[in-house]
Every structure is written in C-alpha cells, then in structure tokens.
PDB file of all heavy atoms in Angstrom:
ATOM      1  N   LEU A   1     -25.513   2.361  -3.124  1.00  0.00           N
ATOM      2  CA  LEU A   1     -25.980   0.939  -2.865  1.00  0.00           C
ATOM      3  C   LEU A   1     -26.257   0.465  -4.208  1.00  0.00           C
ATOM      4  O   LEU A   1     -26.085  -0.854  -4.431  1.00  0.00           O
ATOM      5  CB  LEU A   1     -27.306   1.028  -2.005  1.00  0.00           C
ATOM      6  CG  LEU A   1     -27.078   1.535  -0.619  1.00  0.00           C
ATOM      7  CD1 LEU A   1     -28.416   1.549   0.107  1.00  0.00           C
ATOM      8  CD2 LEU A   1     -25.968   0.637   0.261  1.00  0.00           C
ATOM      9  N   ARG A   2     -26.703   1.085  -5.190  1.00  0.00           N
ATOM     10  CA  ARG A   2     -27.004   0.574  -6.479  1.00  0.00           C
ATOM     11  C   ARG A   2     -25.719   0.161  -7.182  1.00  0.00           C
ATOM     12  O   ARG A   2     -25.633  -0.820  -7.866  1.00  0.00           O
ATOM     13  CB  ARG A   2     -27.629   1.705  -7.423  1.00  0.00           C
ATOM     14  CG  ARG A   2     -29.115   1.864  -7.324  1.00  0.00           C
ATOM     15  CD  ARG A   2     -29.650   2.884  -8.387  1.00  0.00           C
ATOM     16  NE  ARG A   2     -31.043   3.122  -8.308  1.00  0.00           N
ATOM     17  CZ  ARG A   2     -31.640   4.003  -8.947  1.00  0.00           C
ATOM     18  NH1 ARG A   2     -30.956   4.877  -9.769  1.00  0.00           N
ATOM     19  NH2 ARG A   2     -33.017   4.014  -8.978  1.00  0.00           N
ATOM     20  N   PHE A   3     -24.566   0.964  -6.993  1.00  0.00           N
ATOM     21  CA  PHE A   3     -23.311   0.585  -7.538  1.00  0.00           C
ATOM     22  C   PHE A   3     -22.888  -0.870  -6.945  1.00  0.00           C
ATOM     23  O   PHE A   3     -22.616  -1.683  -7.691  1.00  0.00           O
ATOM     24  CB  PHE A   3     -22.277   1.674  -7.335  1.00  0.00           C
ATOM     25  CG  PHE A   3     -20.813   1.143  -7.533  1.00  0.00           C
ATOM     26  CD1 PHE A   3     -20.399   0.959  -8.818  1.00  0.00           C
ATOM     27  CD2 PHE A   3     -20.159   0.671  -6.505  1.00  0.00           C
ATOM     28  CE1 PHE A   3     -19.227   0.484  -9.044  1.00  0.00           C
ATOM     29  CE2 PHE A   3     -18.870   0.115  -6.678  1.00  0.00           C
ATOM     30  CZ  PHE A   3     -18.349   0.032  -8.064  1.00  0.00           C
ATOM     31  N   PHE A   4     -22.936  -0.903  -5.613  1.00  0.00           N
ATOM     32  CA  PHE A   4     -22.491  -2.179  -5.031  1.00  0.00           C
ATOM     33  C   PHE A   4     -23.342  -3.317  -5.399  1.00  0.00           C
ATOM     34  O   PHE A   4     -22.797  -4.601  -5.534  1.00  0.00           O
ATOM     35  CB  PHE A   4     -22.192  -2.013  -3.470  1.00  0.00           C
ATOM     36  CG  PHE A   4     -20.971  -1.242  -3.182  1.00  0.00           C
ATOM     37  CD1 PHE A   4     -20.972   0.069  -2.962  1.00  0.00           C
ATOM     38  CD2 PHE A   4     -19.867  -1.946  -3.142  1.00  0.00           C
ATOM     39  CE1 PHE A   4     -19.709   0.761  -2.529  1.00  0.00           C
ATOM     40  CE2 PHE A   4     -18.650  -1.375  -2.734  1.00  0.00           C
ATOM     41  CZ  PHE A   4     -18.547   0.040  -2.533  1.00  0.00           C
ATOM     42  N   TRP A   5     -24.588  -3.098  -5.461  1.00  0.00           N
ATOM     43  CA  TRP A   5     -25.435  -4.300  -5.840  1.00  0.00           C
ATOM     44  C   TRP A   5     -25.268  -4.672  -7.213  1.00  0.00           C
ATOM     45  O   TRP A   5     -25.293  -5.890  -7.613  1.00  0.00           O
ATOM     46  CB  TRP A   5     -26.899  -3.960  -5.647  1.00  0.00           C
ATOM     47  CG  TRP A   5     -27.884  -4.947  -6.072  1.00  0.00           C
ATOM     48  CD1 TRP A   5     -28.681  -5.060  -7.157  1.00  0.00           C
ATOM     49  CD2 TRP A   5     -27.947  -6.304  -5.499  1.00  0.00           C
ATOM     50  NE1 TRP A   5     -29.439  -6.149  -7.224  1.00  0.00           N
ATOM     51  CE2 TRP A   5     -28.946  -7.031  -6.154  1.00  0.00           C
ATOM     52  CE3 TRP A   5     -27.411  -6.890  -4.377  1.00  0.00           C
ATOM     53  CZ2 TRP A   5     -29.122  -8.368  -5.894  1.00  0.00           C
ATOM     54  CZ3 TRP A   5     -27.776  -8.223  -3.928  1.00  0.00           C
ATOM     55  CH2 TRP A   5     -28.632  -8.910  -4.826  1.00  0.00           C
ATOM     56  N   ASN A   6     -25.072  -3.785  -8.195  1.00  0.00           N
ATOM     57  CA  ASN A   6     -24.819  -4.080  -9.641  1.00  0.00           C
ATOM     58  C   ASN A   6     -23.376  -4.421  -9.988  1.00  0.00           C
ATOM     59  O   ASN A   6     -23.255  -4.894 -11.147  1.00  0.00           O
ATOM     60  CB  ASN A   6     -25.337  -2.881 -10.469  1.00  0.00           C
ATOM     61  CG  ASN A   6     -27.013  -2.811 -10.289  1.00  0.00           C
ATOM     62  OD1 ASN A   6     -27.702  -3.740 -10.260  1.00  0.00           O
ATOM     63  ND2 ASN A   6     -27.397  -1.591 -10.120  1.00  0.00           N
ATOM     64  N   ALA A   7     -22.392  -4.029  -9.269  1.00  0.00           N
ATOM     65  CA  ALA A   7     -20.998  -4.262  -9.603  1.00  0.00           C
ATOM     66  C   ALA A   7     -20.733  -5.719  -9.768  1.00  0.00           C
ATOM     67  O   ALA A   7     -21.382  -6.573  -9.161  1.00  0.00           O
ATOM     68  CB  ALA A   7     -20.098  -3.739  -8.500  1.00  0.00           C
ATOM     69  N   PRO A   8     -19.905  -6.084 -10.685  1.00  0.00           N
ATOM     70  CA  PRO A   8     -19.549  -7.487 -10.944  1.00  0.00           C
ATOM     71  C   PRO A   8     -19.009  -8.182  -9.861  1.00  0.00           C
ATOM     72  O   PRO A   8     -18.022  -7.803  -9.147  1.00  0.00           O
ATOM     73  CB  PRO A   8     -18.499  -7.386 -12.187  1.00  0.00           C
ATOM     74  CG  PRO A   8     -17.859  -6.024 -12.123  1.00  0.00           C
ATOM     75  CD  PRO A   8     -19.033  -5.201 -11.556  1.00  0.00           C
ATOM     76  N   GLN A   9     -19.516  -9.425  -9.660  1.00  0.00           N
ATOM     77  CA  GLN A   9     -19.121 -10.365  -8.508  1.00  0.00           C
ATOM     78  C   GLN A   9     -18.601 -11.717  -9.233  1.00  0.00           C
ATOM     79  O   GLN A   9     -19.337 -12.344  -9.838  1.00  0.00           O
ATOM     80  CB  GLN A   9     -20.245 -10.660  -7.553  1.00  0.00           C
ATOM     81  CG  GLN A   9     -20.696  -9.557  -6.662  1.00  0.00           C
ATOM     82  CD  GLN A   9     -20.109  -9.634  -5.333  1.00  0.00           C
ATOM     83  OE1 GLN A   9     -20.085 -10.780  -4.773  1.00  0.00           O
ATOM     84  NE2 GLN A   9     -19.746  -8.528  -4.647  1.00  0.00           N
ATOM     85  N   SER A  10     -17.354 -11.959  -9.182  1.00  0.00           N
ATOM     86  CA  SER A  10     -16.735 -13.093  -9.814  1.00  0.00           C
ATOM     87  C   SER A  10     -15.531 -13.411  -9.371  1.00  0.00           C
ATOM     88  O   SER A  10     -14.901 -12.653  -8.577  1.00  0.00           O
ATOM     89  CB  SER A  10     -16.772 -12.940 -11.301  1.00  0.00           C
ATOM     90  OG  SER A  10     -15.649 -12.227 -11.774  1.00  0.00           O
ATOM     91  N   GLU A  11     -14.878 -14.613  -9.655  1.00  0.00           N
ATOM     92  CA  GLU A  11     -13.512 -14.902  -9.339  1.00  0.00           C
ATOM     93  C   GLU A  11     -12.497 -14.332 -10.234  1.00  0.00           C
ATOM     94  O   GLU A  11     -11.267 -14.456 -10.041  1.00  0.00           O
ATOM     95  CB  GLU A  11     -13.404 -16.497  -9.458  1.00  0.00           C
ATOM     96  CG  GLU A  11     -14.162 -17.254  -8.501  1.00  0.00           C
ATOM     97  CD  GLU A  11     -14.056 -18.747  -8.624  1.00  0.00           C
ATOM     98  OE1 GLU A  11     -14.787 -19.352  -9.339  1.00  0.00           O
ATOM     99  OE2 GLU A  11     -13.164 -19.272  -7.935  1.00  0.00           O
ATOM    100  N   HIS A  12     -12.818 -13.559 -11.235  1.00  0.00           N
ATOM    101  CA  HIS A  12     -11.877 -12.829 -12.066  1.00  0.00           C
ATOM    102  C   HIS A  12     -10.958 -11.916 -11.367  1.00  0.00           C
ATOM    103  O   HIS A  12     -11.446 -11.184 -10.501  1.00  0.00           O
ATOM    104  CB  HIS A  12     -12.701 -12.001 -13.202  1.00  0.00           C
ATOM    105  CG  HIS A  12     -11.756 -11.626 -14.322  1.00  0.00           C
ATOM    106  ND1 HIS A  12     -10.823 -10.530 -14.308  1.00  0.00           N
ATOM    107  CD2 HIS A  12     -11.625 -12.146 -15.572  1.00  0.00           C
ATOM    108  CE1 HIS A  12     -10.269 -10.593 -15.443  1.00  0.00           C
ATOM    109  NE2 HIS A  12     -10.635 -11.459 -16.250  1.00  0.00           N
ATOM    110  N   PRO A  13      -9.595 -12.060 -11.557  1.00  0.00           N
ATOM    111  CA  PRO A  13      -8.658 -11.253 -10.576  1.00  0.00           C
ATOM    112  C   PRO A  13      -8.714  -9.881 -10.838  1.00  0.00           C
ATOM    113  O   PRO A  13      -8.214  -9.080 -10.067  1.00  0.00           O
ATOM    114  CB  PRO A  13      -7.346 -11.825 -11.141  1.00  0.00           C
ATOM    115  CG  PRO A  13      -7.569 -12.454 -12.516  1.00  0.00           C
ATOM    116  CD  PRO A  13      -8.973 -12.906 -12.522  1.00  0.00           C
ATOM    117  N   SER A  14      -9.307  -9.223 -12.084  1.00  0.00           N
ATOM    118  CA  SER A  14      -9.299  -7.880 -12.246  1.00  0.00           C
ATOM    119  C   SER A  14     -10.474  -7.198 -12.641  1.00  0.00           C
ATOM    120  O   SER A  14     -10.743  -6.006 -12.582  1.00  0.00           O
ATOM    121  CB  SER A  14      -8.171  -7.478 -13.294  1.00  0.00           C
ATOM    122  OG  SER A  14      -8.500  -8.115 -14.565  1.00  0.00           O
ATOM    123  N   ALA A  15     -11.492  -7.929 -13.190  1.00  0.00           N
ATOM    124  CA  ALA A  15     -12.757  -7.478 -13.768  1.00  0.00           C
ATOM    125  C   ALA A  15     -13.938  -7.605 -12.768  1.00  0.00           C
ATOM    126  O   ALA A  15     -14.959  -7.882 -13.217  1.00  0.00           O
ATOM    127  CB  ALA A  15     -13.014  -8.228 -15.088  1.00  0.00           C
ATOM    128  N   ALA A  16     -13.667  -7.620 -11.533  1.00  0.00           N
ATOM    129  CA  ALA A  16     -14.745  -7.712 -10.520  1.00  0.00           C
ATOM    130  C   ALA A  16     -14.548  -6.789  -9.509  1.00  0.00           C
ATOM    131  O   ALA A  16     -13.371  -6.215  -9.155  1.00  0.00           O
ATOM    132  CB  ALA A  16     -14.668  -9.250  -9.935  1.00  0.00           C
ATOM    133  N   THR A  17     -15.580  -6.612  -8.698  1.00  0.00           N
ATOM    134  CA  THR A  17     -15.646  -5.643  -7.520  1.00  0.00           C
ATOM    135  C   THR A  17     -15.666  -6.513  -6.261  1.00  0.00           C
ATOM    136  O   THR A  17     -15.191  -6.027  -5.199  1.00  0.00           O
ATOM    137  CB  THR A  17     -16.869  -4.633  -7.561  1.00  0.00           C
ATOM    138  OG1 THR A  17     -16.691  -3.806  -8.773  1.00  0.00           O
ATOM    139  CG2 THR A  17     -17.003  -3.970  -6.343  1.00  0.00           C
ATOM    140  N   GLY A  18     -16.149  -7.659  -6.422  1.00  0.00           N
ATOM    141  CA  GLY A  18     -16.269  -8.646  -5.256  1.00  0.00           C
ATOM    142  C   GLY A  18     -16.559 -10.006  -5.599  1.00  0.00           C
ATOM    143  O   GLY A  18     -16.500 -10.260  -6.921  1.00  0.00           O
ATOM    144  N   TYR A  19     -16.788 -10.835  -4.541  1.00  0.00           N
ATOM    145  CA  TYR A  19     -17.037 -12.162  -4.809  1.00  0.00           C
ATOM    146  C   TYR A  19     -17.921 -12.797  -3.695  1.00  0.00           C
ATOM    147  O   TYR A  19     -17.550 -12.436  -2.566  1.00  0.00           O
ATOM    148  CB  TYR A  19     -15.823 -13.087  -5.104  1.00  0.00           C
ATOM    149  CG  TYR A  19     -16.009 -14.560  -5.509  1.00  0.00           C
ATOM    150  CD1 TYR A  19     -16.895 -14.924  -6.426  1.00  0.00           C
ATOM    151  CD2 TYR A  19     -15.206 -15.422  -4.719  1.00  0.00           C
ATOM    152  CE1 TYR A  19     -16.957 -16.300  -6.763  1.00  0.00           C
ATOM    153  CE2 TYR A  19     -15.293 -16.800  -4.980  1.00  0.00           C
ATOM    154  CZ  TYR A  19     -16.229 -17.179  -6.066  1.00  0.00           C
ATOM    155  OH  TYR A  19     -16.292 -18.626  -6.248  1.00  0.00           O
ATOM    156  N   ARG A  20     -18.896 -13.514  -3.939  1.00  0.00           N
ATOM    157  CA  ARG A  20     -19.851 -14.209  -2.806  1.00  0.00           C
ATOM    158  C   ARG A  20     -20.284 -13.223  -1.935  1.00  0.00           C
ATOM    159  O   ARG A  20     -20.497 -13.495  -0.764  1.00  0.00           O
ATOM    160  CB  ARG A  20     -19.034 -15.315  -2.282  1.00  0.00           C
ATOM    161  CG  ARG A  20     -18.819 -16.573  -3.100  1.00  0.00           C
ATOM    162  CD  ARG A  20     -18.186 -17.666  -2.358  1.00  0.00           C
ATOM    163  NE  ARG A  20     -18.067 -18.828  -3.070  1.00  0.00           N
ATOM    164  CZ  ARG A  20     -18.865 -19.994  -2.969  1.00  0.00           C
ATOM    165  NH1 ARG A  20     -19.820 -19.896  -2.245  1.00  0.00           N
ATOM    166  NH2 ARG A  20     -18.565 -20.971  -3.847  1.00  0.00           N
ATOM    167  N   GLY A  21     -20.605 -12.071  -2.464  1.00  0.00           N
ATOM    168  CA  GLY A  21     -21.119 -11.000  -1.442  1.00  0.00           C
ATOM    169  C   GLY A  21     -20.247 -10.130  -0.837  1.00  0.00           C
ATOM    170  O   GLY A  21     -20.456  -8.993  -0.287  1.00  0.00           O
ATOM    171  N   PHE A  22     -18.855 -10.586  -0.722  1.00  0.00           N
ATOM    172  CA  PHE A  22     -17.847  -9.733  -0.240  1.00  0.00           C
ATOM    173  C   PHE A  22     -17.281  -8.876  -1.177  1.00  0.00           C
ATOM    174  O   PHE A  22     -17.588  -8.973  -2.425  1.00  0.00           O
ATOM    175  CB  PHE A  22     -16.778 -10.520   0.260  1.00  0.00           C
ATOM    176  CG  PHE A  22     -17.150 -11.433   1.570  1.00  0.00           C
ATOM    177  CD1 PHE A  22     -17.706 -12.695   1.339  1.00  0.00           C
ATOM    178  CD2 PHE A  22     -16.966 -10.976   2.846  1.00  0.00           C
ATOM    179  CE1 PHE A  22     -17.997 -13.473   2.430  1.00  0.00           C
ATOM    180  CE2 PHE A  22     -17.334 -11.686   3.857  1.00  0.00           C
ATOM    181  CZ  PHE A  22     -17.857 -13.053   3.719  1.00  0.00           C
ATOM    182  N   PHE A  23     -16.528  -7.795  -0.698  1.00  0.00           N
ATOM    183  CA  PHE A  23     -15.981  -6.807  -1.752  1.00  0.00           C
ATOM    184  C   PHE A  23     -14.499  -6.707  -1.530  1.00  0.00           C
ATOM    185  O   PHE A  23     -14.005  -7.040  -0.315  1.00  0.00           O
ATOM    186  CB  PHE A  23     -16.625  -5.534  -1.683  1.00  0.00           C
ATOM    187  CG  PHE A  23     -18.117  -5.443  -2.060  1.00  0.00           C
ATOM    188  CD1 PHE A  23     -19.081  -5.665  -0.989  1.00  0.00           C
ATOM    189  CD2 PHE A  23     -18.458  -5.330  -3.380  1.00  0.00           C
ATOM    190  CE1 PHE A  23     -20.354  -5.682  -1.462  1.00  0.00           C
ATOM    191  CE2 PHE A  23     -19.760  -5.346  -3.706  1.00  0.00           C
ATOM    192  CZ  PHE A  23     -20.714  -5.689  -2.756  1.00  0.00           C
ATOM    193  N   TYR A  24     -13.765  -6.334  -2.502  1.00  0.00           N
ATOM    194  CA  TYR A  24     -12.348  -6.123  -2.342  1.00  0.00           C
ATOM    195  C   TYR A  24     -12.033  -4.719  -1.529  1.00  0.00           C
ATOM    196  O   TYR A  24     -12.847  -3.819  -1.478  1.00  0.00           O
ATOM    197  CB  TYR A  24     -11.706  -5.806  -3.723  1.00  0.00           C
ATOM    198  CG  TYR A  24     -11.499  -7.218  -4.453  1.00  0.00           C
ATOM    199  CD1 TYR A  24     -12.267  -7.491  -5.528  1.00  0.00           C
ATOM    200  CD2 TYR A  24     -10.604  -8.086  -4.008  1.00  0.00           C
ATOM    201  CE1 TYR A  24     -12.249  -8.651  -6.146  1.00  0.00           C
ATOM    202  CE2 TYR A  24     -10.426  -9.352  -4.720  1.00  0.00           C
ATOM    203  CZ  TYR A  24     -11.292  -9.714  -5.762  1.00  0.00           C
ATOM    204  OH  TYR A  24     -11.139 -10.931  -6.425  1.00  0.00           O
ATOM    205  N   HIS A  25     -11.005  -4.868  -0.821  1.00  0.00           N
ATOM    206  CA  HIS A  25     -10.523  -3.915   0.237  1.00  0.00           C
ATOM    207  C   HIS A  25     -10.414  -2.491  -0.488  1.00  0.00           C
ATOM    208  O   HIS A  25     -11.122  -1.404  -0.013  1.00  0.00           O
ATOM    209  CB  HIS A  25      -9.296  -4.210   0.787  1.00  0.00           C
ATOM    210  CG  HIS A  25      -9.025  -3.371   1.951  1.00  0.00           C
ATOM    211  ND1 HIS A  25      -7.885  -3.721   2.864  1.00  0.00           N
ATOM    212  CD2 HIS A  25      -9.416  -2.152   2.442  1.00  0.00           C
ATOM    213  CE1 HIS A  25      -7.733  -2.779   3.812  1.00  0.00           C
ATOM    214  NE2 HIS A  25      -8.709  -1.822   3.623  1.00  0.00           N
ATOM    215  N   PHE A  26      -9.839  -2.407  -1.603  1.00  0.00           N
ATOM    216  CA  PHE A  26      -9.664  -1.209  -2.407  1.00  0.00           C
ATOM    217  C   PHE A  26     -10.335  -1.292  -3.846  1.00  0.00           C
ATOM    218  O   PHE A  26      -9.930  -2.301  -4.451  1.00  0.00           O
ATOM    219  CB  PHE A  26      -8.243  -0.742  -2.336  1.00  0.00           C
ATOM    220  CG  PHE A  26      -7.616  -0.530  -0.948  1.00  0.00           C
ATOM    221  CD1 PHE A  26      -6.744  -1.397  -0.469  1.00  0.00           C
ATOM    222  CD2 PHE A  26      -7.982   0.603  -0.340  1.00  0.00           C
ATOM    223  CE1 PHE A  26      -6.185  -1.132   0.699  1.00  0.00           C
ATOM    224  CE2 PHE A  26      -7.486   0.890   0.951  1.00  0.00           C
ATOM    225  CZ  PHE A  26      -6.491   0.017   1.511  1.00  0.00           C
ATOM    226  N   LEU A  27     -10.944  -0.253  -4.301  1.00  0.00           N
ATOM    227  CA  LEU A  27     -11.492  -0.247  -5.563  1.00  0.00           C
ATOM    228  C   LEU A  27     -11.101   0.950  -6.335  1.00  0.00           C
ATOM    229  O   LEU A  27     -10.784   2.049  -5.665  1.00  0.00           O
ATOM    230  CB  LEU A  27     -13.083  -0.136  -5.420  1.00  0.00           C
ATOM    231  CG  LEU A  27     -13.743  -1.438  -4.770  1.00  0.00           C
ATOM    232  CD1 LEU A  27     -15.193  -1.200  -4.601  1.00  0.00           C
ATOM    233  CD2 LEU A  27     -13.458  -2.732  -5.330  1.00  0.00           C
ATOM    234  N   ASP A  28     -10.946   0.717  -7.565  1.00  0.00           N
ATOM    235  CA  ASP A  28     -10.697   2.001  -8.458  1.00  0.00           C
ATOM    236  C   ASP A  28     -11.794   3.043  -8.329  1.00  0.00           C
ATOM    237  O   ASP A  28     -12.908   2.630  -8.507  1.00  0.00           O
ATOM    238  CB  ASP A  28     -10.492   1.514  -9.902  1.00  0.00           C
ATOM    239  CG  ASP A  28     -10.086   2.698 -10.830  1.00  0.00           C
ATOM    240  OD1 ASP A  28     -11.094   3.458 -11.287  1.00  0.00           O
ATOM    241  OD2 ASP A  28      -8.956   2.751 -11.277  1.00  0.00           O
ATOM    242  N   MET A  29     -11.465   4.310  -8.060  1.00  0.00           N
ATOM    243  CA  MET A  29     -12.426   5.349  -7.771  1.00  0.00           C
ATOM    244  C   MET A  29     -13.358   5.451  -8.906  1.00  0.00           C
ATOM    245  O   MET A  29     -14.491   5.871  -8.697  1.00  0.00           O
ATOM    246  CB  MET A  29     -11.723   6.666  -7.488  1.00  0.00           C
ATOM    247  CG  MET A  29     -11.211   6.716  -6.044  1.00  0.00           C
ATOM    248  SD  MET A  29     -12.532   6.863  -4.852  1.00  0.00           S
ATOM    249  CE  MET A  29     -13.269   8.463  -5.209  1.00  0.00           C
ATOM    250  N   LYS A  30     -12.995   5.248 -10.173  1.00  0.00           N
ATOM    251  CA  LYS A  30     -13.790   5.426 -11.365  1.00  0.00           C
ATOM    252  C   LYS A  30     -14.535   4.182 -11.759  1.00  0.00           C
ATOM    253  O   LYS A  30     -15.842   4.217 -11.930  1.00  0.00           O
ATOM    254  CB  LYS A  30     -13.023   6.082 -12.391  1.00  0.00           C
ATOM    255  CG  LYS A  30     -12.469   7.486 -12.248  1.00  0.00           C
ATOM    256  CD  LYS A  30     -11.728   7.992 -13.392  1.00  0.00           C
ATOM    257  CE  LYS A  30     -11.127   9.395 -13.092  1.00  0.00           C
ATOM    258  NZ  LYS A  30     -10.435   9.988 -14.281  1.00  0.00           N
ATOM    259  N   THR A  31     -13.798   3.212 -11.990  1.00  0.00           N
ATOM    260  CA  THR A  31     -14.430   1.972 -12.502  1.00  0.00           C
ATOM    261  C   THR A  31     -15.075   1.092 -11.496  1.00  0.00           C
ATOM    262  O   THR A  31     -16.049   0.337 -11.684  1.00  0.00           O
ATOM    263  CB  THR A  31     -13.379   1.059 -13.218  1.00  0.00           C
ATOM    264  OG1 THR A  31     -12.549   0.562 -12.300  1.00  0.00           O
ATOM    265  CG2 THR A  31     -12.617   1.849 -14.368  1.00  0.00           C
ATOM    266  N   GLY A  32     -14.602   1.179 -10.110  1.00  0.00           N
ATOM    267  CA  GLY A  32     -15.151   0.439  -9.011  1.00  0.00           C
ATOM    268  C   GLY A  32     -14.606  -0.963  -9.047  1.00  0.00           C
ATOM    269  O   GLY A  32     -15.167  -1.798  -8.134  1.00  0.00           O
ATOM    270  N   LEU A  33     -13.627  -1.315  -9.947  1.00  0.00           N
ATOM    271  CA  LEU A  33     -13.199  -2.646  -9.948  1.00  0.00           C
ATOM    272  C   LEU A  33     -11.968  -2.860  -9.045  1.00  0.00           C
ATOM    273  O   LEU A  33     -11.396  -1.785  -8.607  1.00  0.00           O
ATOM    274  CB  LEU A  33     -12.587  -2.964 -11.396  1.00  0.00           C
ATOM    275  CG  LEU A  33     -13.703  -3.014 -12.520  1.00  0.00           C
ATOM    276  CD1 LEU A  33     -13.105  -3.251 -13.881  1.00  0.00           C
ATOM    277  CD2 LEU A  33     -14.854  -4.008 -12.180  1.00  0.00           C
ATOM    278  N   ARG A  34     -11.543  -3.991  -8.648  1.00  0.00           N
ATOM    279  CA  ARG A  34     -10.481  -4.281  -7.816  1.00  0.00           C
ATOM    280  C   ARG A  34      -9.286  -3.501  -8.155  1.00  0.00           C
ATOM    281  O   ARG A  34      -8.829  -3.443  -9.293  1.00  0.00           O
ATOM    282  CB  ARG A  34     -10.058  -5.849  -7.907  1.00  0.00           C
ATOM    283  CG  ARG A  34      -8.945  -6.270  -6.889  1.00  0.00           C
ATOM    284  CD  ARG A  34      -8.451  -7.663  -7.298  1.00  0.00           C
ATOM    285  NE  ARG A  34      -7.686  -8.190  -6.298  1.00  0.00           N
ATOM    286  CZ  ARG A  34      -6.853  -9.316  -6.532  1.00  0.00           C
ATOM    287  NH1 ARG A  34      -6.886  -9.991  -7.704  1.00  0.00           N
ATOM    288  NH2 ARG A  34      -6.000  -9.694  -5.662  1.00  0.00           N
ATOM    289  N   GLN A  35      -8.519  -2.977  -7.051  1.00  0.00           N
ATOM    290  CA  GLN A  35      -7.370  -2.150  -7.316  1.00  0.00           C
ATOM    291  C   GLN A  35      -6.196  -3.006  -6.998  1.00  0.00           C
ATOM    292  O   GLN A  35      -5.993  -3.550  -5.820  1.00  0.00           O
ATOM    293  CB  GLN A  35      -7.325  -0.876  -6.466  1.00  0.00           C
ATOM    294  CG  GLN A  35      -6.225   0.044  -6.738  1.00  0.00           C
ATOM    295  CD  GLN A  35      -6.291   1.295  -5.938  1.00  0.00           C
ATOM    296  OE1 GLN A  35      -6.163   1.233  -4.781  1.00  0.00           O
ATOM    297  NE2 GLN A  35      -6.256   2.449  -6.704  1.00  0.00           N
ATOM    298  N   GLY A  36      -5.241  -3.235  -7.929  1.00  0.00           N
ATOM    299  CA  GLY A  36      -4.046  -3.805  -7.687  1.00  0.00           C
ATOM    300  C   GLY A  36      -4.340  -5.336  -7.297  1.00  0.00           C
ATOM    301  O   GLY A  36      -5.282  -6.019  -7.779  1.00  0.00           O
TER     302      GLY A  36
END
C-alpha cells in the first residue's frame, strides 16, 4: 500500500504508475512504472 500511495501519478507516458487515482494494468516488477 505504501508503494501504490507514493508511486508517481501523472500524464507522463513512461515515468508514472498511474493517473487520477487509477493505475496502469501492467507495471515493471522492479520500478513499478508503466510497462510498455
């Protein structure tokens, strides 16, 4: 939960985990950023 709360939320296409409280379907296992 700490990871998801602190992970970057933005419109950036690759340097974010989610946006507006939603999250990308797949995340890099290590960085937690959007995968592909």
Side-chain angles (χ1 to χ4, degrees):
L1 298 179
R2 276 180 175 178
F3 166 77
F4 278 98
W5 177 249
N6 294 316
Q9 290 255 328
S10 78
E11 295 179 273
H12 195 283
S14 60
T17 297
Y19 182 50
R20 289 184 176 261
F22 292 92
F23 294 96
Y24 286 106
H25 191 165
F26 298 109
L27 305 175
D28 183 278
M29 280 291 295
K30 294 181 179 179
T31 67
L33 299 177
R34 181 192 189 193
Q35 185 177 62

